[in-house]
Amino acid sequence: MTTAEPGRLAASVHHHGRHDALIDTPPHAAPGKVDAIIVPTARSAKEMAYAVNLAKRLGCVLVALCSRWSIFTEVVKVARPFGTEVIVIDARRLPPGVLPRFSTDRLLAGTRFYRTTDTSQKRNLGLLIARLSGWERVAFLDDDITIPEPSDLKVAAGLTDRYAGVGLQIDPRSPSFPDNSVVCHAYRDAGGDQGMFVGGGALVVGSASMTSFFPNIYNEDWFFLLGEDNLRPVTMVGRALQRPYDPYEDGSRAQVEELGDCLAEGLFWLFDNGGSIQDADAVFWQSFLARRISFIADVVAMVNRMPGGGGKRLRMLAALKAARDRSERIKPDLCTQFVARWRNDRVTWRNHVDELQERHRVKNAEKVLTTLGLTGQSRYLSS
């Protein structure tokens, strides 16, 4: 590990804390229209009031995809008084055939690496509704994100003809919070030079980008931004705020993230060095996985050198141990298989959406709910 000079952040030789060179400087463009804001919500219904009001201010549709503590009938009650166009869907159990079966899911099903959260499923449902409704530009927004300047979403929308994804920069300063994995949070908290990349928590995409999908794995938004062999063009504008949380509260969070963090950081390591997905063979993954474990060891050493003590340090160390234990179980063959299957799943997704579009030329959001068999578990509120 590299030791930091006084007043400077530390950097690990085993980790790229920043991928800034992969993000284009945004050119000037006229603001665009946001057709819809899509929120994969899992928090209580009252948390949706902000996003509904934001959609009303922008004059666009709000799509709330509900599960866990977000009860769709309660979200309807929250949204109705705003008098704006809102689609609320109970996304806990989707009818068969709404979304395709992905081979990456079959690869991980029944293993410790399978991700049980439904964020990816809800984002894919949002993409499908957008395509069938004929929307040109949509904004993905997590339910713990706020946008200080709503016009930033219009600026981002104006760039979607040039970029596969336009992210809003998550402000790491209080009262906001950085957008990183648990391991990268620990690296930053211990003094590491850790940045942030374009993420799905505040992301605007155009219709051309909807040929991609979100695999069911941590860093699914990074995979969404990939093309066949490399990262598609991305940029960042504006500013977003993420509600603070304790990333070290539960060690299982680091475990769940580890496979996706290894896969995404591994591919982005290649991109940083001028490589492509074609270079991600078993030899590369064997080397990168060893590098990942060394990086976690670097962070553990940094945490142990932090001044003071207390519960936070112990929670950080417990989370890092959980991440390391999970990382040690990841094999190069699993990484190569996942990437190969993900590439096949890209074709599966495109074919699925194209087939639905060919069969159902509705181009109307309310009718799309009927097309997908969602009328019994959704509500459409007109403006």
Side-chain angles (χ1 to χ4, degrees):
M1 185 196 69
T2 302
T3 303
E5 298 175 12
R8 299 192 63 180
L9 295 174
S12 169
V13 297
H14 303 111
H15 173 68
H16 289 175
R18 296 183 177 276
H19 305 291
D20 296 348
L22 303 177
I23 304 173
D24 286 356
T25 300
H28 174 75
K33 183 183 186 302
V34 178
D35 293 310
I37 295 174
I38 299 171
V39 183
T41 178
R43 293 177 172 83
S44 65
K46 65 181 181 180
E47 304 293 344
M48 284 302 302
Y50 170 79
V52 177
N53 186 53
L54 179 62
K56 183 174 183 177
R57 293 179 63 181
L58 292 175
C60 68
V61 185
L62 188 284
V63 182
L65 304 169
C66 308
S67 64
R68 299 186 72 188
W69 295 284
S70 180
I71 309 302
F72 92 108
T73 52
E74 296 300 314
V75 174
V76 171
K77 293 177 183 178
V78 169
R80 195 180 299 278
F82 287 89
T84 192
E85 190 173 5
V86 178
I87 296 172
V88 186
I89 299 173
D90 182 352
R92 291 174 300 175
R93 298 179 186 86
L94 299 181
V98 171
L99 296 176
R101 295 186 62 198
F102 293 121
S103 62
T104 44
D105 284 345
R106 294 195 293 273
L107 174 66
L108 301 180
T111 74
R112 59 175 53 88
F113 301 110
Y114 186 73
R115 189 187 187 203
T116 57
T117 58
D118 60 358
T119 305
S120 297
Q121 174 180 284
K122 290 189 286 191
R123 285 179 172 160
N124 288 331
L125 178 59
L127 282 172
L128 183 60
I129 292 171
R131 285 286 298 275
L132 296 180
S133 299
W135 295 334
E136 294 294 323
R137 305 176 186 90
V138 300
F140 285 96
L141 191 71
D142 284 355
D143 60 7
D144 61 347
I145 297 286
T146 57
I147 311 296
E149 296 292 338
S151 59
D152 285 344
L153 288 175
K154 293 184 177 182
V155 174
L159 293 166
T160 55
D161 291 341
R162 309 183 194 187
Y163 293 98
V166 184
L168 273 68
Q169 176 73 52
I170 304 295
D171 195 329
R173 301 166 299 180
S174 180
S176 185
F177 198 66
D179 179 24
N180 291 115
S181 67
V182 173
V183 171
C184 290
H185 270 298
Y187 181 50
R188 172 189 279 106
D189 286 347
D193 185 15
Q194 179 63 53
M196 290 179 285
F197 197 71
V198 179
L203 178 69
V204 183
V205 303
S207 57
S209 296
M210 298 176 195
T211 55
S212 189
F213 80 107
F214 296 92
N216 183 27
I217 195 168
Y218 179 72
N219 277 330
E220 75 278 3
D221 42 7
W222 288 19
F223 276 91
F224 172 80
L225 295 169
L226 299 183
E228 186 64 21
D229 291 314
N230 218 307
L231 177 69
R232 295 183 293 169
V234 297
T235 191
M236 299 185 79
V237 297
R239 177 169 164 256
L241 306 179
Q242 177 171 287
R243 185 182 309 167
Y245 64 92
D246 182 359
Y248 317 115
E249 183 178 13
D250 182 356
S252 65
R253 185 184 189 113
Q255 289 181 320
V256 169
E257 293 176 348
E258 189 59 22
L259 177 60
D261 219 20
C262 283
L263 286 165
E265 291 287 0
L267 293 177
F268 275 57
W269 179 284
L270 285 171
F271 304 155
D272 286 334
N273 289 288
S276 73
I277 297 173
Q278 297 281 3
D279 300 314
D281 57 14
V283 174
F284 166 76
W285 285 116
Q286 183 173 7
S287 172
F288 184 81
L289 291 170
R291 188 179 293 119
R292 175 72 178 187
I293 292 172
S294 295
F295 168 58
I296 296 174
D298 286 351
V299 182
V300 168
M302 293 168 69
V303 171
N304 280 323
R305 290 197 298 271
M306 290 172 62
K312 180 177 179 179
R313 176 188 287 187
L314 293 176
R315 295 196 306 275
M316 292 172 71
L317 292 172
L320 289 167
K321 180 181 183 302
R324 183 195 63 208
D325 292 347
R326 180 57 53 88
S327 195
E328 289 173 344
R329 295 176 179 269
I330 301 172
K331 305 302 180 186
D333 183 58
L334 177 63
C335 297
T336 56
Q337 284 190 59
F338 185 92
V339 173
R341 292 195 180 206
W342 162 77
R343 296 175 91 165
N344 291 334
D345 285 345
R346 284 169 51 83
V347 178
T348 298
W349 172 255
R350 290 196 297 269
N351 291 341
H352 179 77
V353 178
D354 289 346
E355 181 183 346
L356 282 175
Q357 284 187 307
E358 185 64 29
R359 281 192 289 150
H360 306 285
R361 299 178 180 274
V362 287
K363 299 294 184 183
N364 175 284
E366 186 175 11
K367 292 181 180 178
V368 165
L369 300 177
T370 302
T371 295
L372 296 177
L374 297 172
T375 51
Q377 58 196 82
S378 66
R379 296 292 184 273
Y380 173 80
L381 306 178
S382 60
S383 56

